[in-house]
Amino acid sequence: MKATDLLIKQHHTVSRLFKAIEQAPSEAEKIALFRELASNLAAHDGIEREIFYPACEAAMGLNDELGEALVEHGVIEFCLYQANEAIGKPDFAFKCKVLKELVEHHVEEEEDEFFPKTERALGDDLLEALGEEMEDAFDEAREDDFQLPLYENLRQVFAGALQPVPTASGIPSKSRQSA
């Protein structure tokens, strides 16, 4: 599957989870669905920022769409963190709503503006190879607790990071500094 098709598929999953949270009849179901949503968002963020966006930057440079997407990821992560911290509190629903609106905005721009340019710049063969790598990384990330990578991402975003870079161990630290 092409990387862009995989990301669109994941966007649809996230959209369905937001709707399910809004329609869930009990607080316990809302929380369970939110944790599934958070796991999906954190894993999705990871594969975009660690695999897809670097490939896009290599092919197209750090253009406006990519720069905005990277910044939006940091804002979405902050809102995800806030919603997670609000579980069981009166403002949980409000924070989920704002998170949903930010994700919808990001998805719309990405799918309508960025992906068409990306597909032209990267080509089908590279998109297929990236898609396979991203699918494996997504599945692996979903096996772990979403909170640890989310909190590490936020720590580095607050420190001024824009994109991840490998650490000495070869594992991305999500701390590549913006130029």
Side-chain angles (χ1 to χ4, degrees), residues 76-87:
I76 289 169
E77 289 169 343
F78 179 69
C79 286
L80 178 59
Y81 165 81
Q82 284 197 317
N84 187 55
E85 293 295 305
I87 289 175

Side-chain angles (χ1 to χ4, degrees), residues 101-158:
E101 291 170 354
L102 289 168
V103 169
E104 287 173 343
H105 168 80
H106 174 74
V107 165
E108 181 181 337
E109 283 188 344
E110 198 170 58
E111 291 182 7
D112 293 348
E113 299 169 25
F114 187 59
F115 286 176
K117 292 177 183 177
T118 299
E119 288 177 344
R120 286 189 298 275
L122 297 178
D124 288 341
D125 290 343
L126 181 53
L127 286 168
E128 287 286 339
L130 288 170
E132 288 179 30
E133 181 182 357
M134 290 164 56
E135 192 166 18
D136 290 344
F138 180 82
D139 291 342
E140 186 177 317
R142 291 256 305 127
E143 293 173 3
D144 297 330
D145 179 9
F146 73 89
Q147 295 180 57
L148 296 175
L150 173 65
Y151 293 0
E152 176 60 16
N153 256 3
L154 280 177
R155 183 190 68 74
Q156 294 174 12
V157 166
F158 290 148

Side-chain angles (χ1 to χ4, degrees), residues 26-123:
S26 72
E27 191 67 19
E29 287 179 64
K30 286 181 189 294
I31 292 169
L33 288 164
F34 173 78
R35 289 193 172 122
E36 183 179 351
L37 170 76
S39 178
N40 274 276
L41 283 173
H44 179 85
D45 172 73
I47 66 171
E48 276 194 322
R49 291 184 66 208
E50 295 170 18
I51 301 168
F52 185 66
Y53 289 163
C56 294
E57 184 177 0
M60 304 183 308
L62 185 58
N63 60 25
D64 289 345
E65 289 90 356
L66 178 56
E68 289 174 21
L70 288 163
V71 172
E72 286 172 353
H73 270 254
V75 174
I76 289 169
E77 289 169 343
F78 179 69
C79 286
L80 178 59
Y81 165 81
Q82 284 197 317
N84 187 55
E85 293 295 305
I87 289 175
K89 298 177 184 167
D91 57 344
F92 175 70
F94 307 136
K95 291 180 177 178
C96 283
K97 174 78 172 169
V98 171
L99 175 63
K100 177 184 176 189
E101 291 170 354
L102 289 168
V103 169
E104 287 173 343
H105 168 80
H106 174 74
V107 165
E108 181 181 337
E109 283 188 344
E110 198 170 58
E111 291 182 7
D112 293 348
E113 299 169 25
F114 187 59
F115 286 176
K117 292 177 183 177
T118 299
E119 288 177 344
R120 286 189 298 275
L122 297 178

